[in-house]
PDB file of all heavy atoms in Angstrom:
ATOM      1  N   ALA K  86       3.910  16.781 -10.572  1.00  0.00           N
ATOM      2  CA  ALA K  86       5.255  16.189 -10.318  1.00  0.00           C
ATOM      3  C   ALA K  86       5.058  15.100  -9.252  1.00  0.00           C
ATOM      4  O   ALA K  86       4.322  15.331  -8.245  1.00  0.00           O
ATOM      5  CB  ALA K  86       6.223  17.284  -9.791  1.00  0.00           C
ATOM      6  N   THR K  87       5.580  13.917  -9.497  1.00  0.00           N
ATOM      7  CA  THR K  87       5.329  12.765  -8.650  1.00  0.00           C
ATOM      8  C   THR K  87       6.568  12.187  -7.986  1.00  0.00           C
ATOM      9  O   THR K  87       7.579  11.967  -8.628  1.00  0.00           O
ATOM     10  CB  THR K  87       4.611  11.685  -9.481  1.00  0.00           C
ATOM     11  OG1 THR K  87       3.490  12.304 -10.121  1.00  0.00           O
ATOM     12  CG2 THR K  87       4.156  10.491  -8.646  1.00  0.00           C
ATOM     13  N   PHE K  88       6.469  11.915  -6.654  1.00  0.00           N
ATOM     14  CA  PHE K  88       7.572  11.306  -5.929  1.00  0.00           C
ATOM     15  C   PHE K  88       7.001  10.125  -5.106  1.00  0.00           C
ATOM     16  O   PHE K  88       5.973  10.279  -4.488  1.00  0.00           O
ATOM     17  CB  PHE K  88       8.226  12.334  -4.995  1.00  0.00           C
ATOM     18  CG  PHE K  88       8.684  13.530  -5.750  1.00  0.00           C
ATOM     19  CD1 PHE K  88       7.796  14.641  -5.960  1.00  0.00           C
ATOM     20  CD2 PHE K  88       9.940  13.613  -6.326  1.00  0.00           C
ATOM     21  CE1 PHE K  88       8.260  15.754  -6.651  1.00  0.00           C
ATOM     22  CE2 PHE K  88      10.369  14.716  -7.047  1.00  0.00           C
ATOM     23  CZ  PHE K  88       9.494  15.774  -7.192  1.00  0.00           C
ATOM     24  N   ILE K  89       7.710   9.045  -5.194  1.00  0.00           N
ATOM     25  CA  ILE K  89       7.257   7.875  -4.317  1.00  0.00           C
ATOM     26  C   ILE K  89       8.483   7.433  -3.475  1.00  0.00           C
ATOM     27  O   ILE K  89       9.528   7.059  -4.042  1.00  0.00           O
ATOM     28  CB  ILE K  89       6.805   6.665  -5.185  1.00  0.00           C
ATOM     29  CG1 ILE K  89       5.688   7.100  -6.141  1.00  0.00           C
ATOM     30  CG2 ILE K  89       6.324   5.536  -4.340  1.00  0.00           C
ATOM     31  CD1 ILE K  89       5.202   5.997  -7.109  1.00  0.00           C
ATOM     32  N   VAL K  90       8.347   7.612  -2.215  1.00  0.00           N
ATOM     33  CA  VAL K  90       9.478   7.256  -1.239  1.00  0.00           C
ATOM     34  C   VAL K  90       8.876   6.652   0.016  1.00  0.00           C
ATOM     35  O   VAL K  90       7.896   7.134   0.557  1.00  0.00           O
ATOM     36  CB  VAL K  90      10.244   8.525  -0.860  1.00  0.00           C
ATOM     37  CG1 VAL K  90      11.654   8.119  -0.387  1.00  0.00           C
ATOM     38  CG2 VAL K  90      10.345   9.547  -1.925  1.00  0.00           C
ATOM     39  N   ASP K  91       9.555   5.603   0.521  1.00  0.00           N
ATOM     40  CA  ASP K  91       9.198   5.002   1.820  1.00  0.00           C
ATOM     41  C   ASP K  91       7.666   4.698   2.002  1.00  0.00           C
ATOM     42  O   ASP K  91       7.157   4.834   3.064  1.00  0.00           O
ATOM     43  CB  ASP K  91       9.535   6.013   2.983  1.00  0.00           C
ATOM     44  CG  ASP K  91      11.060   6.317   3.073  1.00  0.00           C
ATOM     45  OD1 ASP K  91      11.830   5.513   2.509  1.00  0.00           O
ATOM     46  OD2 ASP K  91      11.395   7.301   3.684  1.00  0.00           O
ATOM     47  N   GLY K  92       7.093   4.243   0.860  1.00  0.00           N
ATOM     48  CA  GLY K  92       5.668   3.889   0.970  1.00  0.00           C
ATOM     49  C   GLY K  92       4.722   5.122   0.959  1.00  0.00           C
ATOM     50  O   GLY K  92       3.539   4.985   1.244  1.00  0.00           O
ATOM     51  N   PHE K  93       5.231   6.299   0.619  1.00  0.00           N
ATOM     52  CA  PHE K  93       4.357   7.465   0.488  1.00  0.00           C
ATOM     53  C   PHE K  93       4.476   8.034  -0.963  1.00  0.00           C
ATOM     54  O   PHE K  93       5.546   7.964  -1.574  1.00  0.00           O
ATOM     55  CB  PHE K  93       4.837   8.611   1.417  1.00  0.00           C
ATOM     56  CG  PHE K  93       4.708   8.190   2.866  1.00  0.00           C
ATOM     57  CD1 PHE K  93       5.830   7.819   3.638  1.00  0.00           C
ATOM     58  CD2 PHE K  93       3.478   8.149   3.504  1.00  0.00           C
ATOM     59  CE1 PHE K  93       5.720   7.446   4.953  1.00  0.00           C
ATOM     60  CE2 PHE K  93       3.337   7.803   4.867  1.00  0.00           C
ATOM     61  CZ  PHE K  93       4.492   7.421   5.589  1.00  0.00           C
ATOM     62  N   ILE K  94       3.359   8.567  -1.420  1.00  0.00           N
ATOM     63  CA  ILE K  94       3.405   9.218  -2.767  1.00  0.00           C
ATOM     64  C   ILE K  94       2.938  10.617  -2.675  1.00  0.00           C
ATOM     65  O   ILE K  94       1.912  10.907  -1.994  1.00  0.00           O
ATOM     66  CB  ILE K  94       2.533   8.363  -3.796  1.00  0.00           C
ATOM     67  CG1 ILE K  94       2.565   9.089  -5.174  1.00  0.00           C
ATOM     68  CG2 ILE K  94       1.120   8.160  -3.358  1.00  0.00           C
ATOM     69  CD1 ILE K  94       1.954   8.291  -6.300  1.00  0.00           C
ATOM     70  N   ALA K  95       3.605  11.538  -3.301  1.00  0.00           N
ATOM     71  CA  ALA K  95       3.146  12.931  -3.381  1.00  0.00           C
ATOM     72  C   ALA K  95       3.053  13.279  -4.876  1.00  0.00           C
ATOM     73  O   ALA K  95       3.995  13.120  -5.583  1.00  0.00           O
ATOM     74  CB  ALA K  95       4.131  13.841  -2.656  1.00  0.00           C
ATOM     75  N   ARG K  96       1.855  13.839  -5.243  1.00  0.00           N
ATOM     76  CA  ARG K  96       1.697  14.403  -6.589  1.00  0.00           C
ATOM     77  C   ARG K  96       1.434  15.866  -6.365  1.00  0.00           C
ATOM     78  O   ARG K  96       0.423  16.251  -5.805  1.00  0.00           O
ATOM     79  CB  ARG K  96       0.516  13.721  -7.297  1.00  0.00           C
ATOM     80  CG  ARG K  96       0.859  12.514  -8.178  1.00  0.00           C
ATOM     81  CD  ARG K  96      -0.297  11.901  -8.768  1.00  0.00           C
ATOM     82  NE  ARG K  96      -0.513  12.311 -10.176  1.00  0.00           N
ATOM     83  CZ  ARG K  96       0.113  11.836 -11.243  1.00  0.00           C
ATOM     84  NH1 ARG K  96       0.957  10.857 -11.089  1.00  0.00           N
ATOM     85  NH2 ARG K  96      -0.142  12.240 -12.409  1.00  0.00           N
ATOM     86  N   ASN K  97       2.424  16.717  -6.768  1.00  0.00           N
ATOM     87  CA  ASN K  97       2.295  18.129  -6.489  1.00  0.00           C
ATOM     88  C   ASN K  97       1.440  18.854  -7.534  1.00  0.00           C
ATOM     89  O   ASN K  97       1.566  18.541  -8.723  1.00  0.00           O
ATOM     90  CB  ASN K  97       3.690  18.804  -6.518  1.00  0.00           C
ATOM     91  CG  ASN K  97       4.738  18.043  -5.682  1.00  0.00           C
ATOM     92  OD1 ASN K  97       5.900  17.946  -6.065  1.00  0.00           O
ATOM     93  ND2 ASN K  97       4.326  17.506  -4.554  1.00  0.00           N
ATOM     94  N   ASP K  98       0.624  19.843  -7.080  1.00  0.00           N
ATOM     95  CA  ASP K  98      -0.128  20.609  -8.056  1.00  0.00           C
ATOM     96  C   ASP K  98       0.824  21.366  -8.986  1.00  0.00           C
ATOM     97  O   ASP K  98       0.646  21.381 -10.186  1.00  0.00           O
ATOM     98  CB  ASP K  98      -1.091  21.601  -7.330  1.00  0.00           C
ATOM     99  CG  ASP K  98      -2.225  20.824  -6.641  1.00  0.00           C
ATOM    100  OD1 ASP K  98      -2.459  19.680  -7.066  1.00  0.00           O
ATOM    101  OD2 ASP K  98      -2.886  21.399  -5.780  1.00  0.00           O
ATOM    102  N   ALA K  99       1.807  22.045  -8.438  1.00  0.00           N
ATOM    103  CA  ALA K  99       2.775  22.762  -9.225  1.00  0.00           C
ATOM    104  C   ALA K  99       4.094  22.842  -8.469  1.00  0.00           C
ATOM    105  O   ALA K  99       4.184  23.285  -7.316  1.00  0.00           O
ATOM    106  CB  ALA K  99       2.264  24.172  -9.551  1.00  0.00           C
ATOM    107  N   LEU K 100       5.162  22.339  -9.165  1.00  0.00           N
ATOM    108  CA  LEU K 100       6.523  22.475  -8.615  1.00  0.00           C
ATOM    109  C   LEU K 100       7.238  23.444  -9.569  1.00  0.00           C
ATOM    110  O   LEU K 100       7.351  23.245 -10.778  1.00  0.00           O
ATOM    111  CB  LEU K 100       7.171  21.073  -8.675  1.00  0.00           C
ATOM    112  CG  LEU K 100       8.464  20.908  -7.899  1.00  0.00           C
ATOM    113  CD1 LEU K 100       8.257  21.143  -6.405  1.00  0.00           C
ATOM    114  CD2 LEU K 100       9.022  19.491  -8.122  1.00  0.00           C
ATOM    115  N   VAL K 101       7.639  24.593  -9.005  1.00  0.00           N
ATOM    116  CA  VAL K 101       8.080  25.722  -9.833  1.00  0.00           C
ATOM    117  C   VAL K 101       9.575  25.979  -9.641  1.00  0.00           C
ATOM    118  O   VAL K 101      10.020  26.093  -8.506  1.00  0.00           O
ATOM    119  CB  VAL K 101       7.230  26.952  -9.536  1.00  0.00           C
ATOM    120  CG1 VAL K 101       7.681  28.157 -10.388  1.00  0.00           C
ATOM    121  CG2 VAL K 101       5.751  26.675  -9.766  1.00  0.00           C
ATOM    122  N   TRP K 102      10.321  26.097 -10.754  1.00  0.00           N
ATOM    123  CA  TRP K 102      11.729  26.241 -10.650  1.00  0.00           C
ATOM    124  C   TRP K 102      12.103  27.719 -10.288  1.00  0.00           C
ATOM    125  O   TRP K 102      11.614  28.660 -10.923  1.00  0.00           O
ATOM    126  CB  TRP K 102      12.425  25.840 -11.987  1.00  0.00           C
ATOM    127  CG  TRP K 102      13.894  26.041 -12.054  1.00  0.00           C
ATOM    128  CD1 TRP K 102      14.600  26.887 -12.896  1.00  0.00           C
ATOM    129  CD2 TRP K 102      14.907  25.494 -11.155  1.00  0.00           C
ATOM    130  NE1 TRP K 102      15.967  26.836 -12.636  1.00  0.00           N
ATOM    131  CE2 TRP K 102      16.127  25.967 -11.577  1.00  0.00           C
ATOM    132  CE3 TRP K 102      14.841  24.596 -10.093  1.00  0.00           C
ATOM    133  CZ2 TRP K 102      17.365  25.579 -10.926  1.00  0.00           C
ATOM    134  CZ3 TRP K 102      16.006  24.204  -9.476  1.00  0.00           C
ATOM    135  CH2 TRP K 102      17.239  24.670  -9.895  1.00  0.00           C
ATOM    136  N   ASP K 103      12.915  27.845  -9.253  1.00  0.00           N
ATOM    137  CA  ASP K 103      13.370  29.179  -8.849  1.00  0.00           C
ATOM    138  C   ASP K 103      14.842  29.293  -9.271  1.00  0.00           C
ATOM    139  O   ASP K 103      15.729  28.833  -8.487  1.00  0.00           O
ATOM    140  CB  ASP K 103      13.202  29.350  -7.307  1.00  0.00           C
ATOM    141  CG  ASP K 103      13.714  30.658  -6.782  1.00  0.00           C
ATOM    142  OD1 ASP K 103      14.341  31.441  -7.596  1.00  0.00           O
ATOM    143  OD2 ASP K 103      13.565  30.902  -5.596  1.00  0.00           O
ATOM    144  N   ALA K 104      15.094  29.843 -10.410  1.00  0.00           N
ATOM    145  CA  ALA K 104      16.442  29.874 -10.980  1.00  0.00           C
ATOM    146  C   ALA K 104      17.405  30.726 -10.135  1.00  0.00           C
ATOM    147  O   ALA K 104      18.577  30.394  -9.943  1.00  0.00           O
ATOM    148  CB  ALA K 104      16.408  30.413 -12.434  1.00  0.00           C
ATOM    149  N   GLU K 105      16.842  31.801  -9.577  1.00  0.00           N
ATOM    150  CA  GLU K 105      17.697  32.672  -8.734  1.00  0.00           C
ATOM    151  C   GLU K 105      18.303  31.997  -7.563  1.00  0.00           C
ATOM    152  O   GLU K 105      19.432  32.104  -7.210  1.00  0.00           O
ATOM    153  CB  GLU K 105      16.774  33.840  -8.279  1.00  0.00           C
ATOM    154  CG  GLU K 105      17.532  35.104  -8.035  1.00  0.00           C
ATOM    155  CD  GLU K 105      16.560  36.249  -7.705  1.00  0.00           C
ATOM    156  OE1 GLU K 105      15.666  36.516  -8.584  1.00  0.00           O
ATOM    157  OE2 GLU K 105      16.608  36.719  -6.580  1.00  0.00           O
ATOM    158  N   ASN K 106      17.409  31.152  -6.875  1.00  0.00           N
ATOM    159  CA  ASN K 106      17.878  30.485  -5.667  1.00  0.00           C
ATOM    160  C   ASN K 106      18.263  29.006  -5.909  1.00  0.00           C
ATOM    161  O   ASN K 106      18.571  28.306  -4.917  1.00  0.00           O
ATOM    162  CB  ASN K 106      16.811  30.590  -4.602  1.00  0.00           C
ATOM    163  CG  ASN K 106      16.560  32.016  -4.177  1.00  0.00           C
ATOM    164  OD1 ASN K 106      17.500  32.720  -3.790  1.00  0.00           O
ATOM    165  ND2 ASN K 106      15.356  32.477  -4.378  1.00  0.00           N
ATOM    166  N   ASN K 107      18.158  28.624  -7.154  1.00  0.00           N
ATOM    167  CA  ASN K 107      18.588  27.275  -7.560  1.00  0.00           C
ATOM    168  C   ASN K 107      17.862  26.200  -6.728  1.00  0.00           C
ATOM    169  O   ASN K 107      18.480  25.301  -6.194  1.00  0.00           O
ATOM    170  CB  ASN K 107      20.075  27.138  -7.344  1.00  0.00           C
ATOM    171  CG  ASN K 107      20.669  26.030  -8.184  1.00  0.00           C
ATOM    172  OD1 ASN K 107      20.093  25.759  -9.271  1.00  0.00           O
ATOM    173  ND2 ASN K 107      21.760  25.410  -7.728  1.00  0.00           N
ATOM    174  N   CYS K 108      16.512  26.367  -6.660  1.00  0.00           N
ATOM    175  CA  CYS K 108      15.701  25.395  -5.916  1.00  0.00           C
ATOM    176  C   CYS K 108      14.287  25.360  -6.478  1.00  0.00           C
ATOM    177  O   CYS K 108      13.991  26.167  -7.412  1.00  0.00           O
ATOM    178  CB  CYS K 108      15.689  25.693  -4.455  1.00  0.00           C
ATOM    179  SG  CYS K 108      14.886  27.261  -4.073  1.00  0.00           S
ATOM    180  N   TRP K 109      13.492  24.524  -5.925  1.00  0.00           N
ATOM    181  CA  TRP K 109      12.088  24.410  -6.409  1.00  0.00           C
ATOM    182  C   TRP K 109      11.146  25.014  -5.362  1.00  0.00           C
ATOM    183  O   TRP K 109      11.406  24.940  -4.179  1.00  0.00           O
ATOM    184  CB  TRP K 109      11.682  22.941  -6.652  1.00  0.00           C
ATOM    185  CG  TRP K 109      12.496  22.312  -7.748  1.00  0.00           C
ATOM    186  CD1 TRP K 109      13.688  21.634  -7.578  1.00  0.00           C
ATOM    187  CD2 TRP K 109      12.197  22.291  -9.131  1.00  0.00           C
ATOM    188  NE1 TRP K 109      14.078  21.209  -8.830  1.00  0.00           N
ATOM    189  CE2 TRP K 109      13.191  21.607  -9.818  1.00  0.00           C
ATOM    190  CE3 TRP K 109      11.148  22.831  -9.908  1.00  0.00           C
ATOM    191  CZ2 TRP K 109      13.217  21.433 -11.154  1.00  0.00           C
ATOM    192  CZ3 TRP K 109      11.153  22.641 -11.287  1.00  0.00           C
ATOM    193  CH2 TRP K 109      12.213  21.911 -11.906  1.00  0.00           C
ATOM    194  N   ASP K 110      10.073  25.590  -5.843  1.00  0.00           N
ATOM    195  CA  ASP K 110       8.985  26.088  -4.943  1.00  0.00           C
ATOM    196  C   ASP K 110       7.747  25.183  -5.147  1.00  0.00           C
ATOM    197  O   ASP K 110       7.458  24.815  -6.268  1.00  0.00           O
ATOM    198  CB  ASP K 110       8.625  27.514  -5.265  1.00  0.00           C
ATOM    199  CG  ASP K 110       9.746  28.508  -4.876  1.00  0.00           C
ATOM    200  OD1 ASP K 110      10.580  28.154  -3.965  1.00  0.00           O
ATOM    201  OD2 ASP K 110       9.821  29.566  -5.477  1.00  0.00           O
ATOM    202  N   LEU K 111       7.072  24.898  -4.020  1.00  0.00           N
ATOM    203  CA  LEU K 111       5.912  23.999  -4.170  1.00  0.00           C
ATOM    204  C   LEU K 111       4.586  24.737  -3.962  1.00  0.00           C
ATOM    205  O   LEU K 111       4.493  25.510  -2.964  1.00  0.00           O
ATOM    206  CB  LEU K 111       6.082  22.893  -3.048  1.00  0.00           C
ATOM    207  CG  LEU K 111       5.041  21.840  -2.948  1.00  0.00           C
ATOM    208  CD1 LEU K 111       4.853  21.043  -4.305  1.00  0.00           C
ATOM    209  CD2 LEU K 111       5.384  20.857  -1.846  1.00  0.00           C
ATOM    210  N   TYR K 112       3.659  24.571  -4.864  1.00  0.00           N
ATOM    211  CA  TYR K 112       2.367  25.253  -4.819  1.00  0.00           C
ATOM    212  C   TYR K 112       1.263  24.172  -4.675  1.00  0.00           C
ATOM    213  O   TYR K 112       1.189  23.293  -5.473  1.00  0.00           O
ATOM    214  CB  TYR K 112       2.107  26.094  -6.050  1.00  0.00           C
ATOM    215  CG  TYR K 112       2.960  27.286  -6.143  1.00  0.00           C
ATOM    216  CD1 TYR K 112       4.302  27.218  -6.496  1.00  0.00           C
ATOM    217  CD2 TYR K 112       2.486  28.558  -5.863  1.00  0.00           C
ATOM    218  CE1 TYR K 112       5.120  28.352  -6.599  1.00  0.00           C
ATOM    219  CE2 TYR K 112       3.279  29.711  -5.963  1.00  0.00           C
ATOM    220  CZ  TYR K 112       4.578  29.598  -6.311  1.00  0.00           C
ATOM    221  OH  TYR K 112       5.354  30.697  -6.407  1.00  0.00           O
ATOM    222  N   GLU K 113       0.343  24.379  -3.741  1.00  0.00           N
ATOM    223  CA  GLU K 113      -0.825  23.509  -3.621  1.00  0.00           C
ATOM    224  C   GLU K 113      -2.042  24.369  -3.972  1.00  0.00           C
ATOM    225  O   GLU K 113      -2.228  25.496  -3.376  1.00  0.00           O
ATOM    226  CB  GLU K 113      -0.875  22.981  -2.155  1.00  0.00           C
ATOM    227  CG  GLU K 113      -2.138  22.214  -1.819  1.00  0.00           C
ATOM    228  CD  GLU K 113      -2.327  20.910  -2.572  1.00  0.00           C
ATOM    229  OE1 GLU K 113      -1.273  20.335  -3.058  1.00  0.00           O
ATOM    230  OE2 GLU K 113      -3.444  20.410  -2.639  1.00  0.00           O
TER     231      GLU K 113
END
Side-chain angles (χ1 to χ4, degrees):
T87 306
F88 304 90
I89 303 177
V90 201
D91 295 343
F93 297 103
I94 179 170
R96 268 178 97 83
N97 311 143
D98 287 343
L100 194 61
V101 178
W102 178 240
D103 176 356
E105 207 174 301
N106 296 304
N107 204 28
C108 63
W109 296 91
D110 291 336
L111 180 58
Y112 290 76
E113 172 66 21

